[in-house]
């Protein structure tokens, strides 16, 4: 086989440029810390990674939704806790007012306090999150009950719209409760109590039952809301767990294992240096050095 | 006895031969690095010996050698190897060009990442979810219109960039055609020069090397079929038609079509067939790959826009008006012209989130649009003839059909039928389900859940109680008893799947072209080494030969000196006896 200088130069050139190209890809991986830098690096993995990015974006959104829902639910819970105390107090006052030995001024004093309770309850019903009323259904711009006079409230002004939160893929949850379902029985009971007291007679047994009934239903609703808060918490943990495992999956596909990448880069740098050293030796020797 | 000058003459031929050998070696050394040069060799042949058989031949023993002649100067070249090199160079040009153009296209899709088109689409769906959880928030609505704008602009940008790559290819095509014409003219002119030399019996070595070099350059651009003629000229055929024939070069010209794209044709208007080469690859990328990706991008934009618009128009905005189409586009160039409706962009209150007017806290339409992220179909159609979200149900009291959601994979038309309080929904493909519709109390909501079909209807009844049978009547009376589910894409798939598929296709095409270009490079490199092995100049070899030729020259000079002394003896010292 005949070998010319041209062939030797070609071979060394090709070796140097191919080792340089390999070194370049290794350097890119180390400096970007990613093994997928463009779709052609590994089309199948890139496809999976693109879909994982979308999934993670969606999970992030679910967590935000859960946060927003949680603040609404806890505002409702706070309002109901306060309303519960009001009814407890009303219960005590009802029992006190049933006592036949009270005189007119005593009953007037109790009636005054019941008025206060009614107005306070209307205020609790007007709980807001982000400037939106949570107990008005879709009419978040209107308070469910307004105070029309001392101890008197309007009819329910909201509607029965159901707001839902998306807390997971194909998983939704109703967040709100219509204001009149919770507060109407209580307000009706308190209004009746006040009417009884104002009438000058002892509070009737039916009224007391009504107040107690209102308290029970409020506690039941509060338990429902509590259950919703729990479900939101569970949804949050499960989405966070999914997020962690998806991030790990994505990292496996996308990210470079730094230790092995740096080792690879060092190896290729060494190869490159060896190629250069050999090239230097080989291309310098020629017959003309030895001819006189 | 032959003349004493005979020997002198032999010496002279030896000197001339050695001179020629040295000159040729010098020429080889000088051209060691000339591209396409093949080493030249002097063919020596002994001079015609003396004497010829004839009546007047001298009686001396013969034949006597009469020296050396330079018969020819030839170049060492393997013509078959040249043809192989041309063929493989054409393939290399093809794959190299394809790889370069696909790399440009690939750069438009920097995936996987959160900042590419896929990330922007995801953020768009997320923005709808934020609006759904907080419909009265101006911040959430503004964020949505911003995100919709970003999405439209990114589609516009990608479409424009693809168009620019296509224009870049157009100018490259024009340049290549010019190069072809230049090379063809040069080859034709060389043909003429070579022919004139060849007919005199000489070898036009350097000219043939130059012509071969031009042919190799040309073969990278278009595939060649080269025929060598007896007179030394080469006929070059491209796709069956002769490009160069003798001294005539046919011209290639560029025809621009209605979309502004350049197509190469023969100057007489006939079509140019290109089985391989750079030119073929450029046209292939522009007319097949790019066009395909552009169509897919358009489909992606159209799918998102149509589905969003259909749902948005069934909703009501914060001013109480029905929703306008959120996105506008021109058919045929959806991704390039996609834009957000100016009215909505200017006033975030015009984002329709509710299923009915005057329900500020209702984000159900926004929620349905957000659900398009994982949907393959959505509910569309003409409200005059189909049941849609927002339709009022009016038999014996008004209820409103607030929203319809579809998790069905197939697009088709569905029909309601039924009697009493039993409602049946049947699809055009025959799938069907019957459910019982309960009575509705005033102020309640209910869901008609066709769970086996993946279709849900949400109904609200604001004023009075409504019997289930009345709802059935509302949904089965003519004019409002059909429901249309449409696909976002063909074949049915989610937005994320469609986008991932597009990125995958681009990645696969690009990665394949990188591999093929690499392989082809190795093939061409190997062939070049074979060519170099046969025709390349080895400086060591030439140096050794030069020593040899130099000795030959010295010996020849010595011969002449000897002859000279002989003649001197004969002329000056013979016949001097007795002087």
């Amino acid at each position: 086989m005949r070998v010319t200088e041209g062939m030797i130069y070609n071979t060394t050139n090709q070796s140097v440029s191919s080792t340089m190209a390999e070194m370049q890809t290794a350097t890119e991986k180390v400096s970007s810390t990613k093994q997928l830098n463009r779709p052609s690096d590994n089309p199948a993995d890139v496809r999976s990674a693109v879909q994982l990015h979308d999934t993670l974006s969606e999970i992030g959104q679910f967590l935000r939704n859960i946060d927003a829902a949680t603040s609404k639910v806890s505002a409702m819970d706070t309002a109901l806790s306060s309303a519960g105390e009001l009814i407890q107090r009303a219960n005590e006052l009802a029992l006190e007012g049933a006592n036949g030995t009270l005189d007119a001024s005593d009953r007037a004093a109790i009636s005054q306090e019941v008025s206060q309770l009614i107005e306070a309850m209307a205020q609790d019903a007007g709980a807001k999150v982000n400037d939106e009323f949570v107990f008005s259904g879709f009419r978040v711009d209107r308070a469910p009950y307004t105070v029309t006079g001392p101890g008197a409230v309007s009819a329910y002004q909201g509607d029965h719209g159901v707001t839902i939160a998306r807390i997971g893929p194909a998983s939704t949850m109703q967040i709100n409760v219509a204001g009149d379902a919770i507060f109407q029985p209580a307000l009706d009971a308190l209004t009746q109590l006040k009417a009884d007291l104002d009438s000058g007679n002892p509070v009737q047994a039916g009224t007391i039952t009504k107040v107690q009934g209102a308290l029970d239903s409020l506690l039941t609703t509060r338990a429902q809301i509590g259950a919703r808060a729990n479900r939101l918490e569970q949804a949050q943990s499960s989405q966070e767990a999914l997020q962690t495992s998806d991030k790990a999956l994505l990292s496996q596909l996308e990210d470079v294992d730094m230790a092995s990448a740096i080792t690879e880069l060092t190896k290729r740098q060494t190869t490159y240096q060896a190629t250069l050293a050999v090239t230097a030796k080989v291309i310098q020797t020629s017959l003309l050095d030895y001819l006189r | 006895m032959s003349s004493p000058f005979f020997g002198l003459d032999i010496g002279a031929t030896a000197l001339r031969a050695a001179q020629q050998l040295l000159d040729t070696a010098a020429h080889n050394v000088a051209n060691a690095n000339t591209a396409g040069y093949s080493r030249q060799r002097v063919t020596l042949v002994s001079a015609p010996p003396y004497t010829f058989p004839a009546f007047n031949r001298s009686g001396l023993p013969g034949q006597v050698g009469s020296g050396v002649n330079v018969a020819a100067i030839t170049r060492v070249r393997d013509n078959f190897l040249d043809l192989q090199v041309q063929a493989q160079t054409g393939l290399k040009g093809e794959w190299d060009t394809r790889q370069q153009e696909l790399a440009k296209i690939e750069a438009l899709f920097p995936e996987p990442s959160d900042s590419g088109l896929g990330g922007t689409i995801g953020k768009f769906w997320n923005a709808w979810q934020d609006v759904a959880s907080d419909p009265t928030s101006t911040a959430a609505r503004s964020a949505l219109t911003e995100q919709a704008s970003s999405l439209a602009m990114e589609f516009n940008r990608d479409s424009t960039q693809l168009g620019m790559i296509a224009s870049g290819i157009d100018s490259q095509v024009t340049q290549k055609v010019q190069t072809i014409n230049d090379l063809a003219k040069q080859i034709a002119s060389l043909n003429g020069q070579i022919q004139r030399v060849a007919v005199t019996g000489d070898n036009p070595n350097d000219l043939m090397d130059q012509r071969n070099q031009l042919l190799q350059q040309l073969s990278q651009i278009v595939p060649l079929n080269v025929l060598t003629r007896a007179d030394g000229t080469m006929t070059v055929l491209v796709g069956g038609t002769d490009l160069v024939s003798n001294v005539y070069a046919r011209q290639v010209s560029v025809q621009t079509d209605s979309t502004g794209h350049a197509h190469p044709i023969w100057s007489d208007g006939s079509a140019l067939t290109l089985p391989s080469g750079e030119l073929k690859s450029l046209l292939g990328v522009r007319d097949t790959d790019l066009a395909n990706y552009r169509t897919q991008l358009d489909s992606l934009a159209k799918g998102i826009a149509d589905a969003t618009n259909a749902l948005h128009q069934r909703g009501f905005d914060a001013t109480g008006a029905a929703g306008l189409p959120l996105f506008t586009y021109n058919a045929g160039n959806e991704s390039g012209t996609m834009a957000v409706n100016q009215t909505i962009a200017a006033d975030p209150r015009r984002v329709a989130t509710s299923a009915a007017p005057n329900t500020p806290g209702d984000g159900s339409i926004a929620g349905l649009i957000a659900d398009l992220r994982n949907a393959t179909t959505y509910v569309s159609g003409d409200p005059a003839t189909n049941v849609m979200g927002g339709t009022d149900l009016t038999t014996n009291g008004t209820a409103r059909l607030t929203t319809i959601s579809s998790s069905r994979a197939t697009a088709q038309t569905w029909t309601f039928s039924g009697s009493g309080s039993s409602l049946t929904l049947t699809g055009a493909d025959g799938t069907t389900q019957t459910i019982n519709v309960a009575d509705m109390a005033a102020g309640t909501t209910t869901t008609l859940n066709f769970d086996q079909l993946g279709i849900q209807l949400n109904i609200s009844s604001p004023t009075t109680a409504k019997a289930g049978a009345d709802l059935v009547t509302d949904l089965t009376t003519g004019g409002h008893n059909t429901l249309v589910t449409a696909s976002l894409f063909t074949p049915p798939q989610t937005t994320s799947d469609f986008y991932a598929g597009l990125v995958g296709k681009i990645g696969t095409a690009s990665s394949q072209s990188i591999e093929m270009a690499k392989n082809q490079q190795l093939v061409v490199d190997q062939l070049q080494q074979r060519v170099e092995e046969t025709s390349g100049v080895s400086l060591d070899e030439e140096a050794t030969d030069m020593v040899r030729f130099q000795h030959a020259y010295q010996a020849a000079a010595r011969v002449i000196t000897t002859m000279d002394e002989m003649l001197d003896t004969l002329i000056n010292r013979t016949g001097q006896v007795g002087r």
Side-chain angles (χ1 to χ4, degrees):
Chain A
M1 177 178 137
R2 180 171 174 271
V3 178
T4 66
E5 283 81 13
M7 286 164 74
I8 296 177
Y9 295 147
N10 286 345
T11 312
T12 51
N13 267 342
Q14 284 153 23
S15 304
V16 168
S17 61
S18 72
T19 45
M20 242 207 279
E22 285 182 4
M23 207 173 65
Q24 162 67 8
T25 44
T27 309
E28 187 191 46
K29 289 210 170 111
V30 168
S31 58
S32 70
T33 74
K34 299 248 170 269
Q35 46 190 10
L36 300 177
N37 288 303
R38 55 190 67 76
S40 57
D41 285 346
N42 187 333
D45 278 359
V46 166
R47 220 186 135 136
S48 310
V50 165
Q51 284 173 315
L52 268 175
H53 271 277
D54 191 54
T55 309
L56 280 170
S57 163
E58 197 183 13
I59 293 178
Q61 184 59 39
F62 287 142
L63 288 170
R64 277 200 294 282
N65 294 349
I66 292 171
D67 262 350
T70 306
S71 55
K72 284 196 188 128
V73 166
S74 79
M76 289 196 282
D77 191 56
T78 310
L80 287 180
S81 144
S82 162
E85 284 171 17
L86 295 172
I87 299 206
Q88 287 278 34
R89 181 69 186 136
N91 200 19
E92 290 166 18
L93 291 175
L95 291 170
E96 207 182 309
N99 191 339
T101 59
L102 290 176
D103 66 10
S105 64
D106 290 331
R107 284 205 200 91
I110 296 173
S111 168
Q112 185 78 322
E113 199 178 335
V114 171
S115 289
Q116 305 278 19
L117 291 178
I118 292 175
E119 290 173 21
M121 183 153 296
Q123 212 169 353
D124 280 339
K128 270 178 152 191
V129 172
N130 289 338
D131 216 34
E132 293 173 351
F133 290 101
V134 295
F135 287 115
S136 301
F138 286 149
R139 296 305 324 236
V140 296
D141 54 338
R142 297 211 286 227
Y145 295 103
T146 46
V147 175
T148 51
V153 293
S154 64
Y156 179 60
Q157 298 180 85
D159 68 11
H160 298 100
V162 170
T163 54
I164 54 172
R166 283 162 172 76
I167 57 173
S171 174
T172 56
M173 195 178 99
Q174 176 176 354
I175 305 199
N176 67 343
V177 187
D180 59 353
I182 312 176
F183 291 102
Q184 200 64 54
L187 284 167
D188 288 344
L190 288 178
T191 310
Q192 190 168 327
L193 177 60
K194 179 171 155 67
D196 274 4
L197 290 165
D198 289 342
S199 71
N201 297 324
V203 174
Q204 301 159 36
T207 311
I208 298 178
T209 318
K210 212 166 173 179
V211 171
Q212 283 173 343
L215 178 61
D216 286 339
S217 97
L218 198 81
L219 289 174
T220 312
T221 311
R222 201 154 166 228
Q224 270 179 5
I225 305 255
R228 281 183 198 167
N230 278 345
R231 197 176 152 203
L232 283 173
E233 225 179 280
Q234 275 173 11
Q236 181 156 9
S237 322
S238 97
Q239 287 301 312
E240 280 172 350
L242 261 173
Q243 193 182 44
T244 311
S245 76
D246 277 345
K247 275 190 180 158
L249 253 176
L250 186 61
S251 176
Q252 235 178 335
L253 282 175
E254 256 187 4
D255 295 336
V256 122
D257 171 8
M258 278 315 265
S260 66
I262 293 180
T263 312
E264 185 69 21
L265 176 61
T266 316
K267 192 176 81 171
R268 290 184 185 185
Q269 275 176 337
T270 315
T271 311
Y272 179 61
Q273 284 167 357
T275 312
L276 289 177
V278 166
T279 306
K281 276 231 141 55
V282 163
I283 62 175
Q284 285 185 58
T285 325
S286 148
L287 181 59
L288 300 167
D289 297 333
Y290 298 99
L291 285 176
R292 150 190 66 76
Chain B
M1 190 168 114
S2 60
S3 152
F5 292 95
F6 190 55
L8 212 52
D9 199 51
I10 295 178
T13 61
L15 217 54
R16 273 197 298 276
Q19 181 78 56
Q20 184 60 59
L21 285 168
L22 278 167
D23 284 346
T24 305
H27 182 64
N28 280 344
V29 166
N31 282 293
N33 290 323
T34 307
Y37 178 79
S38 3
R39 63 197 169 106
Q40 292 175 2
R41 281 273 169 279
V42 176
T43 312
L44 297 175
V45 79
S46 47
Y50 183 74
T51 61
F52 286 134
F55 276 122
N56 58 347
R57 62 179 280 280
S58 82
L60 296 167
Q63 292 166 316
V64 178
S66 60
V68 73
N69 275 345
V70 173
I73 304 172
T74 55
R75 65 184 191 136
V76 181
R77 194 86 195 173
D78 182 344
N79 288 315
F80 177 65
L81 210 50
D82 285 337
L83 293 176
Q84 276 189 305
V85 168
Q86 283 162 15
Q88 296 301 323
T89 308
L91 282 173
K92 171 169 154 20
E94 188 178 338
W95 284 110
D96 274 352
T97 307
R98 188 171 166 77
Q99 184 220 330
Q100 282 164 23
E101 297 304 317
L102 286 177
K104 285 182 204 161
I105 295 175
E106 195 182 38
L108 297 178
F109 296 93
E111 300 288 352
S113 82
D114 287 327
S115 53
L117 183 57
T120 311
I121 296 176
K123 286 184 198 138
F124 175 66
W125 299 131
N126 285 352
W128 276 111
Q129 294 218 29
D130 281 339
V131 173
S133 5
D134 202 358
T136 58
S137 156
T138 320
R141 285 162 174 266
S142 299
L144 172 74
T145 52
E146 276 308 309
Q147 204 56 54
S149 255
S150 301
L151 182 62
M153 287 200 302
E154 193 149 342
F155 270 118
N156 295 155
R157 194 199 57 162
D158 283 347
S159 178
T160 311
Q161 300 277 42
L162 284 175
M164 277 166 61
I165 294 177
S167 305
I169 290 180
D170 285 333
S171 58
Q172 282 188 63
V173 164
T174 313
Q175 268 178 21
K176 298 271 178 222
V177 162
Q178 211 165 359
T179 313
I180 293 172
N181 288 336
D182 285 342
L183 288 172
K185 276 198 215 118
Q186 289 178 51
I187 292 171
S189 132
L190 277 171
N191 262 349
Q193 296 174 43
I194 288 170
Q195 185 189 43
R196 282 195 285 278
V197 171
V199 295
T200 63
D202 288 339
N203 288 332
N205 293 320
D206 295 304
L207 293 173
M208 292 202 285
D209 279 345
Q210 283 177 41
R211 182 177 60 181
N212 195 56
Q213 206 43 21
L214 293 172
L215 281 169
Q216 201 173 314
Q217 286 177 36
L218 188 58
S219 69
Q220 193 165 335
I221 307 176
V222 284
L224 305 174
N225 198 357
V226 177
L227 306 166
T228 316
R229 302 240 170 270
D231 61 358
T233 60
M234 277 181 167
T235 305
V236 180
L237 297 151
V238 175
T241 314
D242 51 310
L243 174 68
V244 175
S245 174
N246 205 306
V247 295
Y248 302 110
R250 192 192 295 257
Q251 297 284 288
V252 179
S253 52
V254 171
Q255 185 185 54
T256 316
D257 68 13
S258 53
T259 56
H261 289 316
H263 294 273
I265 50 165
W266 292 112
S267 53
D268 63 3
S270 56
L272 179 62
T273 29
L274 294 168
S276 75
E278 285 179 349
L279 201 52
K280 172 200 175 217
S281 181
L282 283 172
L283 296 170
V285 169
R286 185 192 66 198
D287 298 333
T288 310
D289 298 278
L290 249 183
N292 191 10
Y293 299 144
R294 202 124 180 232
T295 311
Q296 300 249 312
L297 197 66
D298 283 341
S299 299
L300 183 61
K302 183 174 194 297
I304 294 175
D306 282 349
T308 308
N309 285 350
L311 289 173
H312 195 251
Q313 287 179 280
R314 305 300 153 237
F316 292 87
D317 62 21
T319 65
L324 299 166
L326 180 62
F327 288 114
T328 57
Y329 58 79
N330 296 343
N333 186 10
E334 287 85 355
S335 54
T337 56
M338 186 178 188
V340 173
N341 188 321
Q342 283 292 38
T343 317
I344 302 178
D347 184 1
R349 291 178 310 158
R350 301 305 298 271
V351 174
T353 60
S354 323
N358 298 317
T359 51
D362 178 12
S364 47
I365 293 289
L368 281 181
I369 296 179
D371 287 343
L372 286 173
R373 182 197 215 122
N374 294 319
T376 54
T377 58
Y378 60 97
V379 174
S380 84
D382 182 357
T385 48
N386 298 344
V387 172
M388 311 225 75
T391 309
D392 277 334
L393 305 167
T394 53
T395 307
N396 291 330
T398 309
R400 168 164 280 145
L401 174 58
T402 51
T403 56
I404 310 179
S405 58
S406 155
S407 62
R408 184 85 179 166
T410 45
Q412 61 181 319
T413 307
W414 306 81
T415 313
F416 286 107
S417 57
S419 59
S421 61
S422 156
L423 184 64
T424 306
L425 184 61
T426 312
D429 65 351
T431 47
T432 179
Q433 184 178 2
T434 306
I435 61 171
N436 193 52
V437 178
D439 296 341
M440 281 181 80
T444 57
T445 61
T446 187
T447 302
L448 302 181
N449 191 2
F450 292 92
D451 51 341
Q452 294 164 18
L453 309 178
I455 294 183
Q456 285 183 319
L457 287 81
N458 297 304
I459 301 180
S460 71
S461 168
T463 45
T464 57
K466 199 162 157 80
D470 290 332
L471 285 169
V472 172
T473 311
D474 283 327
L475 289 168
T476 54
T477 31
H480 266 106
N481 67 339
T482 51
L483 187 154
V484 176
T485 52
S487 276
L488 279 123
F489 306 108
T490 316
Q493 55 195 299
T494 65
T495 314
S496 166
D497 284 343
F498 189 91
Y499 181 70
L502 175 60
V503 170
K505 267 187 224 143
I506 295 175
T508 310
S510 180
S511 128
Q512 181 208 33
S513 70
I514 292 173
E515 281 310 304
M516 289 301 292
K518 244 193 265 181
N519 286 346
Q520 202 55 34
Q521 180 71 49
L522 288 173
V523 168
V524 169
D525 284 345
Q526 274 207 352
L527 277 176
Q528 295 283 32
Q529 289 291 69
R530 294 289 78 72
V531 168
E532 183 68 21
E533 183 185 342
T534 315
S535 313
V537 172
S538 166
L539 291 173
D540 293 346
E541 195 182 44
E542 299 299 322
T544 319
D545 282 348
M546 280 202 291
V547 172
R548 189 157 61 107
F549 301 153
Q550 194 189 20
H551 285 172
Y553 190 85
Q554 286 169 346
R558 179 52 60 93
V559 162
I560 293 180
T561 315
T562 311
M563 295 297 166
D564 177 53
E565 282 177 16
M566 248 174 55
L567 280 167
D568 183 55
T569 310
L570 183 64
I571 294 171
N572 295 321
R573 277 186 280 281
T574 312
Q576 293 282 13
V577 173
R579 185 73 69 82

